[in-house]
Amino acid sequence: HAPGDPPATICVGCRDLEKGRELVKLLMMSTARAVGSKAEAVQLDVTSALSIAKAVATVESSTGHLDCLVNNAGVMLDSDGQFDLNAARAMMQTIVKGIISVTTAF
């Protein structure tokens, strides 16, 4: 964000909306407020097509468009040191398919 640019809107996608709102508060206490930007939490579960569609609609109605997407979804499921195929599938669902699905949708 450069001086003279219009204020940015930062949409924080998160599964847990309350945690997202806490992050928004932290953002607004930092540089986001200093440059005149605003931030909002948007509920988003990257493993759910319905959740992704709702997040896209929320962002579009709130900001009109998306300038930048930062995909930082991830999960690490502990299997007590043992390989667990179900845990591996859940991690891949989030880390790979989720990122591709969100990027494609936006």
Side-chain angles (χ1 to χ4, degrees):
H1 190 83
D5 284 349
T9 300
I10 302 165
C11 296
V12 178
C14 49
R15 243 182 288 170
D16 183 326
L17 199 51
E18 281 307 308
K19 287 183 181 178
R21 289 180 177 137
E22 290 174 21
L23 179 56
V24 164
K25 287 178 187 175
L26 290 173
L27 282 169
M28 294 311 297
M29 289 189 297
S30 67
T31 56
R33 179 179 292 173
V35 296
S37 296
K38 66 177 186 169
E40 64 182 80
V42 176
Q43 192 153 23
L44 173 61
D45 177 351
V46 301
T47 64
S48 164
L50 179 59
S51 179
I52 293 168
K54 286 181 179 180
V56 169
T58 298
V59 170
E60 287 177 351
S61 69
S62 175
T63 67
H65 67 283
L66 183 70
D67 289 322
C68 177
L69 174 65
V70 178
N71 260 318
N72 193 32
V75 63
M76 183 63 176
L77 302 175
D78 187 10
S79 300
D80 297 325
Q82 302 296 316
F83 180 76
D84 181 331
L85 185 58
N86 289 329
R89 284 183 177 137
M91 287 186 288
M92 294 299 289
Q93 178 78 6
T94 299
I95 297 167
V96 177
K97 187 178 177 195
I99 289 173
I100 292 168
S101 298
V102 171
T103 301
T104 302
F106 277 98

